[in-house]
């Protein structure tokens, strides 16, 4: 997954993840620039997802946001 994709939509994605996965806390979703892999690892571990599954969720969110902007 592209770090740029994560950075560009992070605030919106964070809200979506918190709504969909109530077990995620603000600490789980704390973004620090340059530590994207660490963030992804925390989310994967908390949700029990593979890297590919989490990448797919992020990409789907990005597509939905682009479609809303049209």
């Amino acid at each position: 997954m592209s770090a740029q994709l994560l950075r560009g939509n992070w605030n919106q994605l964070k809200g979506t993840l918190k709504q969909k996965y109530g077990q995620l806390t603000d600490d789980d979703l704390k973004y620090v620039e340059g530590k994207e892999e660490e963030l992804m690892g925390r989310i994967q571990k908390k949700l029990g997802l593979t890297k590919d599954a989490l990448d797919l969720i992020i990409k789907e969110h990005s597509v939905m946001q682009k479609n809303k902007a049209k």
Side-chain angles (χ1 to χ4, degrees), residues 21-45:
Y21 304 101
Q23 68 266 42
L24 291 172
T25 65
D26 287 332
D27 284 342
D28 294 328
L29 298 171
K30 187 175 182 181
Y31 175 80
V32 177
E33 191 166 342
K35 297 202 176 209
E36 292 84 4
E37 292 299 320
E38 183 179 316
L39 170 65
M40 297 299 290
R42 281 195 312 264
I43 296 170
Q44 284 175 250
K45 183 176 180 181

Side-chain angles (χ1 to χ4, degrees), residues 1-10 13 55 58-59 62 66:
M1 183 211 44
S2 160
Q4 183 178 359
L5 179 64
L6 183 62
R7 273 184 263 136
N9 297 311
W10 181 242
L13 177 59
D55 284 347
I58 292 169
K59 288 176 186 173
S62 180
K66 286 179 185 178

